[in-house]
Amino acid sequence: MLLLRTCPDCKHNLNCGCPSGTVVRKGRGSGFLRDTEAMERFFDRLYSKELPMPVSVKSRLGFADPAEWPAILAVYNKYPLTELIVHARVREDGYGGTPNMEAFAYAYENSRAPLCYNGDIRSVADVRRIEEHFPKLRAVMIGRGAVTDPGIFRELATGVRMTAKELREFHDDLYRSYVSMWGVKDTLFKMKEIWGYLGNRYPDADKAKKAIHKCRSEGEYLTAAGELLRIEI
Ligand SMILES: Cc1cc2nc3c(=O)[nH]c(=O)nc-3n(C[C@H](O)[C@H](O)[C@H](O)COP(=O)(O)O)c2cc1C
């Protein structure tokens, strides 16, 4: 997953956002959020000695219900986190539904740590809207939107959109690097996953997208992907 991080100091990040069952079952990721007393004990231990490095946290709003968020934020506010990245969903949302902007606004008003917004940013217009609503925000993080549009970072910086030719070159570089690292079979598996996001650029090309997901050889893959990558958006 591609991430945009704008805080150069935050090299050590505690991920309290991961919703995966295997992670949550061990009380890690967003599973950590179920017990605010345990969170406090953990952070007390972490900060009991002078920490040699800055620590940031990435968090969801809660485990099952955004009503959990004020108590969770109160824990974070007790410690000098260098940044708080908020994925504005609870664990039970997975990656679906829509981010809870009301709960994020609560973080904006009450977070002691500099704040980074995360959740469903798909375009430059989405970033501008967030910046307008939350002008003192430290950063935004872009996940799936950056896989759908790998040009989003340049467009944010310069206003210049990625062309179909540039996307094709990016794709071809990525494909060749993957093949050199993992061989064709594993690369096709990874590329199919990437097309799960990249394919959103081509809402009217279901046939070619299906062909990518069904392909079994490099030739089949490159033909189907090439068909989509020719389309100028
Ligand atoms: C397939 C997938 C893998 C992810 N892996 C990570 C990860 O390793 N570390 C992390 O902090 N977040 C990870 N995330 C979460 C994203 O960083 C991000 O918080 C989430 O996708 C919401 O942002 P978005 O709506 O911009 O995608 C992952 C998300 C997805 C969909």
Side-chain angles (χ1 to χ4, degrees):
M1 178 60 41
L2 300 176
L3 305 168
L4 168 64
R5 296 292 318 282
T6 56
C7 173
D9 302 328
C10 302
K11 295 196 181 92
H12 305 275
N13 178 256
L14 182 71
N15 186 350
C16 305
C18 182
S20 143
T22 47
V23 173
V24 162
R25 263 194 295 283
K26 294 178 194 147
R28 297 180 190 154
S30 54
F32 194 50
L33 306 176
R34 277 182 296 197
D35 184 348
T36 48
E37 284 174 16
M39 286 174 74
E40 263 187 65
R41 284 196 299 276
F42 173 86
F43 283 113
D44 277 344
R45 268 207 323 277
L46 192 66
Y47 284 100
S48 61
K49 298 196 185 99
E50 203 163 304
L51 270 181
M53 74 274 187
V55 171
S56 62
V57 168
K58 169 135 178 267
S59 184
R60 291 206 177 214
L61 300 168
F63 191 80
D65 189 326
E68 299 160 31
W69 181 228
I72 292 167
L73 184 62
V75 174
Y76 295 143
N77 278 345
K78 289 187 175 177
Y79 306 93
L81 308 178
T82 52
E83 186 178 50
L84 178 61
I85 303 154
V86 179
H87 179 188
R89 289 184 165 91
V90 295
R91 187 265 174 176
E92 300 289 281
D93 293 333
Y95 293 101
T98 49
N100 184 324
M101 298 316 289
E102 205 180 306
F104 183 77
Y106 180 85
Y108 185 73
E109 294 303 329
N110 295 286
S111 173
R112 182 178 155 207
L115 204 59
C116 171
Y117 172 83
N118 174 233
D120 284 18
I121 291 190
R122 298 194 181 97
S123 65
V124 170
D126 289 342
V127 175
R128 300 293 175 238
R129 200 169 43 246
I130 294 288
E131 286 173 339
E132 207 172 293
H133 274 85
F134 306 106
K136 291 185 298 202
L137 211 56
R138 152 84 72 86
V140 295
M141 175 182 277
I142 306 175
R144 293 164 296 176
V147 188
T148 306
D149 180 3
I152 195 167
F153 303 118
R154 184 187 72 189
E155 194 183 340
L156 273 167
T158 67
V160 179
R161 270 186 72 75
M162 194 179 214
T163 63
K165 179 170 175 286
E166 287 173 320
L167 181 61
R168 204 157 53 237
E169 286 165 0
F170 173 81
H171 167 276
D172 293 352
D173 270 357
L174 188 68
Y175 181 80
R176 276 194 298 268
S177 310
Y178 277 3
V179 170
S180 72
M181 287 188 285
W182 293 304
V184 170
K185 192 169 161 235
D186 285 356
T187 296
L188 292 186
F189 181 74
K190 287 179 193 303
M191 295 311 291
K192 287 176 190 186
E193 203 178 337
I194 286 174
W195 276 101
Y197 302 102
L198 206 50
N200 294 332
R201 298 170 74 92
Y202 311 98
D204 303 323
D206 284 349
K207 206 170 145 212
K209 285 193 272 186
K210 266 197 198 122
I212 287 177
H213 285 285
K214 280 190 348 206
C215 77
R216 290 162 159 264
S217 70
E218 180 168 69
E220 282 173 6
Y221 171 74
L222 291 176
T223 304
E227 201 174 303
L228 288 174
L229 290 165
R230 265 196 301 277
I231 302 172
E232 192 75 59
I233 303 180

